[in-house]
């Protein structure tokens, strides 16, 4: 699964640490998600989308 977290985070001026703190996860978790090494739970995906002002569908996409 691909995601746009890093792209949207940088556009909005957030650091990985900011995102991690706001969502109650570690910075390592954010790094792993951004690098497509970890797929977040549905709850975390929804929190990420809400925090970044988008939808889960816009944030994540299935790879063909």
């Amino acid at each position: 699964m691909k995601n746009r977290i890093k792209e949207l985070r940088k556009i909005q001026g957030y650091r990985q640490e900011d995102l991690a703190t706001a969502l109650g996860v570690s910075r390592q978790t954010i790094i792993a998600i951004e690098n497509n090494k970890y797929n977040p739970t549905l709850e975390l995906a929804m929190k990420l989308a809400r925090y970044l002002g988008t939808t889960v569908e816009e944030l994540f996409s299935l790879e063909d």
Side-chain angles (χ1 to χ4, degrees):
M1 186 163 49
K2 294 178 4 178
N3 69 72
R4 300 178 57 216
I5 296 169
K6 187 174 189 176
E7 172 190 349
L8 294 176
R9 175 179 59 76
K10 286 187 171 191
I11 288 170
Q12 296 179 25
Y14 297 127
R15 298 175 304 153
Q16 290 171 331
E17 294 169 14
D18 300 330
L19 197 52
T21 300
L23 300 174
V25 298
S26 69
R27 181 172 169 258
Q28 288 75 20
T29 298
I30 300 300
I31 291 169
I33 295 170
E34 286 185 351
N35 291 321
N36 297 312
K37 301 209 183 277
Y38 173 72
N39 290 327
T41 63
L42 180 56
E43 179 181 5
L44 182 53
M46 292 177 80
K47 286 180 180 179
L48 280 162
R50 183 178 297 150
Y51 191 80
L52 294 171
T54 189
T55 64
V56 172
E57 292 83 3
E58 288 289 324
L59 196 55
F60 295 94
S61 62
L62 293 174
E63 295 181 275
D64 293 331

